[in-house]
Amino acid sequence: MSKIGVIGGSGLYEIKGLTLKGKKTISTPFGKPSENYQLGEINGTDLIFLPRHGKHHDIPPHMINYRANIWGFKKLGVDRILSISAVGCIKKGLKPGNIVVLDQVLDMTRNRKSTFYDGKDGVVHIDFTEPYCAELQKILVKAGRGLPSPVKKGGTYVAVEGPRLESASEIKSFALLGGDVVGMTGMPEASLARELEICYAGLSVVANYAAGISKRKLTVTEVMEAMKEATESIKTLLKKAFSLIPQERGCHCKDALKEARI
Ligand code: HPA
């Protein structure tokens, strides 16, 4: 039976409507995950929820123990993760309130532990040509049809270290490189999940125009407000997506370690 994990970002510290069946404290060889994992059910589908910043939002993006979070999901038997995050938009055509089903990544992070394979268990190079699970992407796009918040198919996520926001020139350069949205938590989550052969999809909620795109000063208040407004749409989208996810995985994520070891 497929087990689904959901990672909540800024503004999403719990899923209302989730029938809570229990909580699990997990220890990992990499330290402690951000929070207890909430085991629950929505419309008959089991899911496991984790707020990556902690339930009181006291873990900043650069201090999140990404390895422990993903390892914990694996330990609980999760084989698919839907990851929700707040982002700033870089590309013309996107605006606050939009939801993007991500399909590519530009990783600009510098100081994060970004692999489970640091030599002790052999040398592993996973394929990351398509960073997000193709099967889950299709399901999320389908589940997003007709929602009040428009759901966009495909987008390149620029992952930055944070916690500061970007300069206008940084955003200009990310645009030239093909970035569509910018956020602080999407990496190394996606590649760590791939290293454990877990399907991973990214749903980004556009909370603001990125630096220099709007002439206004960026504030955390506007980010949190936008996230609050998008919560209902995200919940509806997730519920629909759960009903469309097949039991058996039909993608390549489950074989990520095949022919990946030296
Ligand atoms: N930049 C980086 N991370 C973010 C932003 C942003 O503009 N908005 C929400 N998360």
Side-chain angles (χ1 to χ4, degrees), residues 86-89 160 164-166 171 182-184 207-211 218 223:
V87 291
C89 63
V160 292
R164 67 164 176 83
L165 291 157
E166 301 70 43
I171 293 299
V182 57
M184 299 178 191
N208 56 283
Y209 290 104
L218 296 182
V223 172

Side-chain angles (χ1 to χ4, degrees), residues 26-39:
I26 298 284
S27 60
T28 84
F30 308 97
K32 268 172 43 175
S34 298
E35 192 50 79
N36 294 329
Y37 293 78
Q38 295 177 18
L39 317 187

